[in-house]
Amino acid sequence: MTDQTKITGGARQEWMGLLARAPEKAVLDLWANAGARPRFDWLRSPEVGGVMVRGRTGGTGAPFNLGEMTVTRCSLVLQDGTIGHGYVQGRSKPKAEAAALIDALMQTDAAETIRAKVIVPLRQQMQADRNTRAAKAAATKVEFFTMVRGED
Amino acid sequence: MYVAVKGGEKAIENAHAWLAEERRGSTDVAELSVAQIREQLSLAVNRVMAEGSLYDPDLAALAIKQARGDLIEAIFLIRAYRTTLPRFGYSNPVETAAMICDRRISATFKDAPGGQVLGPTFDYTHRLLDFKLAAEGEVPAVSEGPARTGSTPHITGFLRGEGIIQDEPASDETPGDLTREPLEFPTDRPLRLQSLTRGDEGFVLGMAYSTQRGYARNHAFVGELRIGKVPVEMDIPELGFAIEIGEIELTECETVNQFKGSKTEPPQFTRGYGLVFGQSERKSIAMALVDRALRWKELGEDNLGAPAQDEEFVLSHADNIQATGFLEHIKLPHYVDFQSELELVRKLRREAEERLTSKEAAE
């Protein structure tokens, strides 16, 4: 177990966010390929629930409740005492479990392996998907031109 | 006397079995999968998520399949499901300024920074049936351009710099939640927006249209319409910091409305706001128009008595699940109610006849 104070909140935020947003299949495939099967105990077994998403009036003003989204969460502890949390979008309990195990292992000596086998490829896949959509959107950007009128 | 009547179990069971068979349709035709609905009927899925008030494309697709494509029935299924979910908490307000836009247009500024990005729109199609879709067709290759990096600024931000548009100052006030407290009047703008975003698209569209036709006309321009994904962030108590718990697609519409000023406000532009789950363009424009019409009081405008200015009228009738629940319940057995009405009408009629007879006798 590494000293958890050494892990910056920012780094953990980044991988937890990535795992939350990623498609279920991508997370489960990469996790299966990573080959890690640590033993653990549940602190909170996976449960499906809702989170009320908020927006702001006019995009910048007072908060309002927009509607809920499904989220699955769980918490577990590895045998060395490291605690992992999974908070993922949707209703997949296997995805939440994988996310919590990855979160836990990212705080241990296995971090580099997990980063290389799961986090980095996941980030790349999602960035690639995002870039493709952005490129398609860019191709639909209107290029205005003005017709020369003979009025002078 | 009250007599309880039971029966119909067998008939109901048989009706359900037939419903399942009819839902499946002809077995000569391949069955529709939930994934096919999610991917290929995505705008129906978006509507069910928006009005069901639960963002989960797989569940919405399942509901559409179960409801045989009846979207209000599907929304009903989603609303019923969401009441079974424990509430983990509330997200931080989403940052729509950071949206990765698939589409972003402005009807007010041609040369808006970030440009006019059409996205996958129906707008410039000819609305002619495409029989190629009836055959199994190939999709054309999609062009790609140099992708924008960085966020796309809000159009209203430019007007705000000039001080010529009403500001929307940020606050951390906790908004009311109509899934926890029933709506009470008068209400406030956050509650109105929650009610409108889950309101029936047809109803909100009709209300918005009424303002355009002159019932509390407010001269709306679509300042900006954007569709894309935003991350959703929530504070996690056990972590002590906020993380992204997912990413959702949203449609945001900001209208810019002419405003001549009032006793308290200088002449400036005012705003209407629409924000809806998924790609729901018509709904978000309509929502923005209705939001603006309902703001007459805070802006010091006159009450013209228009339906779209009456929050009690608009918000009490916008919810299609409440509406259909009350409407459709009248087809269920009302035998006893009706029996008593029947007795009453017979009695009144008897009395009227008797009065007539005695009058004739007296003459």
Side-chain angles (χ1 to χ4, degrees):
Chain A
M1 183 181 180
T2 39
D3 179 3
Q4 293 203 13
T5 56
K6 282 185 192 158
I7 298 163
T8 63
R12 196 171 178 198
Q13 254 172 330
E14 199 263 344
W15 77 60
M16 289 189 79
L18 191 67
L19 292 164
R21 288 183 280 115
E24 177 189 12
K25 189 174 180 308
V27 173
L28 294 183
D29 286 355
L30 288 167
W31 172 240
N33 285 341
R37 288 289 167 274
R39 297 185 52 164
F40 67 91
D41 290 308
W42 288 117
L43 294 175
R44 175 161 65 198
S45 51
E47 61 170 334
V48 179
V51 167
M52 177 58 88
V53 180
R54 284 182 173 153
R56 286 188 184 280
T57 60
T60 57
F64 70 95
N65 293 306
L66 179 65
E68 286 168 285
M69 63 185 274
T70 50
V71 171
T72 304
R73 69 177 176 189
C74 64
S75 300
L76 47 78
V77 56
L78 301 183
Q79 294 208 309
D80 68 359
T82 312
I83 291 172
H85 297 292
Y87 262 90
V88 298
Q89 182 168 15
R91 289 163 296 114
S92 168
K93 291 179 179 179
K95 184 188 165 191
E97 179 181 326
L101 282 168
I102 293 164
D103 178 49
L105 289 175
M106 283 298 288
Q107 304 168 57
T108 67
D109 297 338
E112 281 323 300
T113 318
I114 297 296
R115 191 189 310 280
K117 288 190 167 173
V118 181
I119 302 296
V120 172
L122 196 58
R123 190 191 295 133
Q124 282 168 350
Q125 273 181 36
M126 296 195 39
Q127 193 58 49
D129 289 347
R130 179 173 287 198
N131 291 349
T132 307
R133 285 196 83 83
K136 287 175 184 171
T140 67
K141 184 175 165 184
V142 180
E143 302 295 344
F144 289 102
F145 55 89
T146 311
M147 306 294 280
V148 179
R149 299 180 301 177
E151 281 175 5
D152 57 348
Chain B
M1 185 176 64
Y2 176 75
V3 184
V5 182
K6 288 188 67 164
E9 288 91 342
K10 191 68 197 164
I12 290 168
E13 205 176 287
N14 292 343
H16 287 173
W18 195 19
L19 168 66
E21 190 186 77
E22 288 287 298
R23 175 191 297 124
R24 174 61 183 85
S26 166
T27 49
D28 294 342
V29 178
E31 189 182 347
L32 198 54
S33 74
V34 169
Q36 283 172 329
I37 296 171
R38 186 192 64 221
E39 296 300 314
Q40 297 174 36
L41 295 178
S42 53
L43 300 191
V45 167
N46 287 343
R47 181 166 178 189
V48 170
M49 293 197 299
E51 293 171 36
S53 203
L54 183 68
Y55 196 98
D56 188 315
D58 289 293
L59 275 184
L62 173 64
I64 290 168
K65 178 171 177 169
Q66 187 177 333
R68 306 176 65 192
D70 178 341
L71 297 190
I72 292 184
E73 181 71 21
I75 291 159
F76 200 162
L77 293 169
I78 293 297
R79 289 275 186 94
Y81 175 83
R82 65 147 287 279
T83 62
T84 67
L85 290 176
R87 173 76 61 86
F88 290 167
Y90 291 82
S91 84
N92 297 332
V94 290
E95 291 293 343
T96 53
M99 182 185 283
I100 312 285
C101 298
D102 282 355
R103 171 166 167 78
R104 189 281 200 130
I105 53 166
S106 170
T108 52
F109 292 104
K110 177 167 77 70
D111 298 313
Q116 308 276 353
V117 176
L118 301 181
T121 180
F122 290 127
D123 280 357
Y124 305 96
T125 62
H126 293 108
R127 268 70 183 216
L128 299 172
L129 278 175
D130 181 0
F131 290 99
K132 288 202 295 293
L133 287 173
E136 278 178 65
E138 303 259 310
V139 258
V142 177
S143 302
E144 296 187 4
R148 256 186 80 79
T149 49
S151 57
T152 310
H154 273 128
I155 300 281
T156 45
F158 306 121
L159 288 171
R160 212 164 56 228
E162 220 184 303
I164 201 157
I165 192 162
Q166 154 258 328
D167 199 10
E168 296 275 9
S171 85
D172 290 323
E173 222 167 290
T174 304
D177 181 356
L178 58 84
T179 67
R180 288 292 179 268
E181 298 285 336
L183 206 54
E184 277 181 21
F185 300 99
T187 170
D188 58 12
R189 194 168 175 216
L191 271 173
R192 293 199 298 257
L193 291 175
Q194 183 182 12
S195 172
L196 289 173
T197 191
R198 72 211 298 259
D200 183 73
E201 181 171 317
F203 179 83
V204 180
L205 170 66
M207 279 288 140
Y209 183 42
S210 76
T211 70
Q212 291 188 293
R213 289 193 63 253
Y215 294 86
R217 184 193 296 276
N218 53 41
H219 304 275
F221 293 102
V222 172
E224 178 166 1
L225 183 75
R226 55 168 67 195
I227 302 177
K229 286 190 169 157
V230 293
V232 180
E233 209 181 74
M234 185 170 79
D235 287 318
I236 308 293
E238 55 266 40
L239 290 171
F241 53 81
I243 59 163
E244 288 173 6
I245 51 165
E247 187 175 57
I248 59 175
E249 188 182 31
L250 294 175
T251 303
E252 182 185 52
C253 175
E254 284 210 84
T255 56
V256 176
N257 303 65
Q258 211 182 72
F259 182 61
K260 294 192 182 72
S262 67
K263 291 177 203 91
T264 51
E265 300 284 332
Q268 59 182 328
F269 290 107
T270 56
R271 302 156 72 162
Y273 190 65
L275 186 66
V276 185
F277 280 161
Q279 187 176 331
S280 309
E281 198 163 302
R282 183 186 305 116
K283 170 75 174 287
S284 71
I285 300 171
M287 177 177 169
L289 262 60
V290 177
D291 169 49
R292 176 59 186 79
L294 289 171
R295 299 182 64 200
W296 64 273
K297 205 179 282 181
E298 64 182 90
L299 294 169
E301 291 175 329
D302 292 333
N303 181 6
L304 303 169
Q309 287 181 307
D310 183 342
E311 65 169 11
E312 191 161 348
F313 181 82
V314 175
L315 305 183
S316 304
H317 302 121
D319 192 293
N320 53 24
I321 300 310
Q322 280 174 7
T324 205
F326 199 64
L327 181 113
E328 294 200 52
H329 102 279
I330 65 172
K331 72 191 173 186
L332 299 175
H334 282 67
Y335 305 141
V336 178
D337 287 6
F338 185 68
Q339 198 64 38
S340 70
E341 297 229 346
L342 195 61
E343 286 299 320
L344 181 66
V345 174
R346 280 181 182 145
K347 182 166 168 267
L348 291 172
R349 180 171 257 213
R350 208 162 43 234
E351 285 168 3
E353 278 167 5
E354 277 166 12
R355 266 200 307 279
L356 200 63
T357 329
S358 57
K359 204 175 158 197
E360 278 168 1
E363 279 168 2

